[in-house]
């Protein structure tokens, strides 16, 4: 059993993927080929925004957004304490200060009430200017945007949606990566929509920001390739990766998001009496289920449980074992919200992610659940 079975996906979509790669290679436009622009147009239409700018990876996508806004030294950027490193890394990379905020335990996403406490505390202290909220759609579930967006408007904050794990999720009819003033996603192979290498994209309705991001992504170019009007970076999506994503996109939109939601429903049923805290999707939300993550009782030895499951052929992962504010890279260079993030600490000690993806079978779910229940005894 695979934790996320990319080989099964390839075999299911092999004719489309092979043809897309072959056509890209045969055409020979390996950088900025026509597939890149076609992909951008289709992704923008899928998300429901005006602009999509592809780039080299999801981390660059976040940093490009901050660069377009001119975020830098003296700015406070609010980031969930329970997330992948790059959500805060990009803040430090542009010289701003990350402020880590605790999360809501059932959904794993930022706790909006604690976020407001942190914004007010930073504002009142006066050393930093509250500037941006990075909202993470963790494990595929969009953050609480009906509360986040009014809060950002109230305090004059820009909203950067980190949809690296959330692409394909939704709130009602509104798609993930449409909620931020600028939104970003990742096409890392194991993400809900993944390529065969690194890749990312930025989404916005703002014409000026889109133009800046396009410039920053290609060495700060101006009117043409060798007219450099600002210092940027080299962050382009390769044509072959765009071709792979185009080959996958219809299946993703029309089949795979529904499939992972069915697998999540089966897990919910199979684990209902396990004593585990199962992931929660609020009413009206759709998750793209980048991960199916449970919370163990604090009395369970997680390392021992993982070892026992591995012996039975069931792979598991811990996302994430350490709070952001405890990462050595941020020592002396971050602010921790007034509550000191106790929920994050508890999650880091108890979360465990199970095999997930659109090609997990019902039989796989039963086998995982039985092994899990046996391991808990």
């Amino acid at each position: 059993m695979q934790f996320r079975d990319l080989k099964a996906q390839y075999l299911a979509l092999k004719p489309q993927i092979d043809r897309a790669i072959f056509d890209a290679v045969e055409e020979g436009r390996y950088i900025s080929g026509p597939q890149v622009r076609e992909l951008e147009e289709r992704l923008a239409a899928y998300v429901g925004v005006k602009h999509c700018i592809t780039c080299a990876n999801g981390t660059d996508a976040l940093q490009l957004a901050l660069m377009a806004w001119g975020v830098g030294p003296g700015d406070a950027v609010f980031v969930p304490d329970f997330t992948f490193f790059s959500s805060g890394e990009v803040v430090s990379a542009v010289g701003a200060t990350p402020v880590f905020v605790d999360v809501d335990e059932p959904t794993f996403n930022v706790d909006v009430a604690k976020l407001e406490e942190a914004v007010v505390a930073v504002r009142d202290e006066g050393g930093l200017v509250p500037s941006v909220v990075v909202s993470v759609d963790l494990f595929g579930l969009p953050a609480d945007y009906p509360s986040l967006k009014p809060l950002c408007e109230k305090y004059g904050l820009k909203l950067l949606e980190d949809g690296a794990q959330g692409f394909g999720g939704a709130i009602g009819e509104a798609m993930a990566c449409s909620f931020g003033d600028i939104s970003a996603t990742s096409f890392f192979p194991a993400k809900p929509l993944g390529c065969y290498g690194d890749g990312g994209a930025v989404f916005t309705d703002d014409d000026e920001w889109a133009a800046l991001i396009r410039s920053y992504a290609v060495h700060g170019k101006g009117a043409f390739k060798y007219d450099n009007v600002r210092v940027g970076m080299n962050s382009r999506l390769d044509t072959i990766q765009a071709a792979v994503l185009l080959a996958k996109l219809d299946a993703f939109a029309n089949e795979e998001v529904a499939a992972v939601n069915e697998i999540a429903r089966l897990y919910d049923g199979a684990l209902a009496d396990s004593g585990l805290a199962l992931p929660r999707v609020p009413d009206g939300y759709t998750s793209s289920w980048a991960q199916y993550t449970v919370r163990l009782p604090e009395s369970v030895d997680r390392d021992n449980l993982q070892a026992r499951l591995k012996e039975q052929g069931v792979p598991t992962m811990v996302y994430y074992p350490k709070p952001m504010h405890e990462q050595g890279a941020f020592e002396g260079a971050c602010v921790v919200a007034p509550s000191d993030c106790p929920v994050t600490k508890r999650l880091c000690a108890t979360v465990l992610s199970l095999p997930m993806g659109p090609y997990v079978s019902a039989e796989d779910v039963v086998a995982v659940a039985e092994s899990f229940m046996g391991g808990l005894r």
Side-chain angles (χ1 to χ4, degrees), residues 11-283:
L11 292 175
L13 304 175
K14 187 178 189 300
Q16 303 96 300
I17 292 171
D18 287 355
R19 171 51 57 183
I21 293 172
F22 178 84
D23 287 348
V25 172
E26 186 176 52
E27 188 173 32
R29 296 175 62 183
Y30 306 117
I31 302 294
S32 302
Q35 292 90 336
V36 175
R37 184 50 59 92
E38 179 185 354
L39 177 67
E40 290 178 343
E41 291 171 355
R42 290 191 60 190
L43 291 174
Y46 175 76
V47 168
V49 298
K50 192 172 181 181
H51 301 283
C52 171
I53 306 97
T54 54
C55 59
N57 55 70
T59 304
D60 283 1
L62 293 169
Q63 185 168 335
L64 285 163
L66 297 178
M67 292 168 70
W69 287 333
V71 175
D75 289 320
V77 178
F78 300 86
V79 181
D81 199 37
F82 187 65
T83 185
F84 181 62
F85 183 68
S86 64
S87 304
E89 177 185 24
V90 295
V91 177
S92 296
V94 298
T97 301
V99 180
F100 293 117
V101 180
D102 212 356
V103 297
D104 172 65
E105 195 159 5
T107 66
F108 306 110
N109 285 328
V110 69
D111 185 315
V112 179
K114 292 177 182 176
L115 172 62
E116 183 165 21
E117 290 176 6
V119 171
V120 171
V122 169
R123 181 199 64 186
D124 291 350
E125 187 169 320
L128 298 168
V129 177
S131 299
V132 177
V133 171
V134 177
S135 57
V136 180
D137 302 337
L138 202 66
F139 302 151
L141 180 68
D144 182 7
Y145 292 105
S147 300
L148 279 167
K149 295 178 84 167
L151 183 144
C152 288
E153 291 169 5
K154 178 179 178 180
Y155 293 101
L157 303 167
K158 290 184 173 65
L159 180 59
L160 173 54
E161 179 185 2
D162 180 350
Q165 298 179 26
F167 194 78
I171 303 176
E173 298 299 315
M175 299 300 296
C177 292
S178 73
F179 298 112
D181 297 310
I182 298 177
S183 302
T185 198
S186 167
F187 301 125
F188 183 80
K191 292 296 192 289
L193 177 62
C195 57
Y196 288 165
D198 274 317
V202 187
F203 300 87
T204 186
D205 284 320
D206 190 281
D207 296 343
E208 181 180 352
W209 294 341
L212 278 171
I213 290 165
R214 285 200 182 277
S215 172
Y216 277 124
V218 187
H219 302 290
K221 74 180 183 70
F224 62 96
K225 181 177 180 179
Y226 297 110
D227 174 36
N228 304 98
V229 297
R230 53 185 59 88
V231 175
M233 63 172 71
N234 179 23
S235 187
R236 296 170 295 201
L237 182 70
D238 295 341
T239 303
I240 289 176
Q241 301 302 342
V244 169
L245 290 166
L246 283 168
K248 289 185 173 188
L249 185 54
D250 284 341
F252 173 77
N254 299 328
E255 301 168 17
E256 292 183 352
V257 174
V260 292
N261 276 276
E262 175 62 14
I263 295 304
R265 187 188 68 78
L266 292 175
Y267 267 133
D268 287 348
L271 296 171
D273 299 322
S274 64
L276 301 168
L278 304 182
R280 185 175 73 86
V281 177
D283 290 343

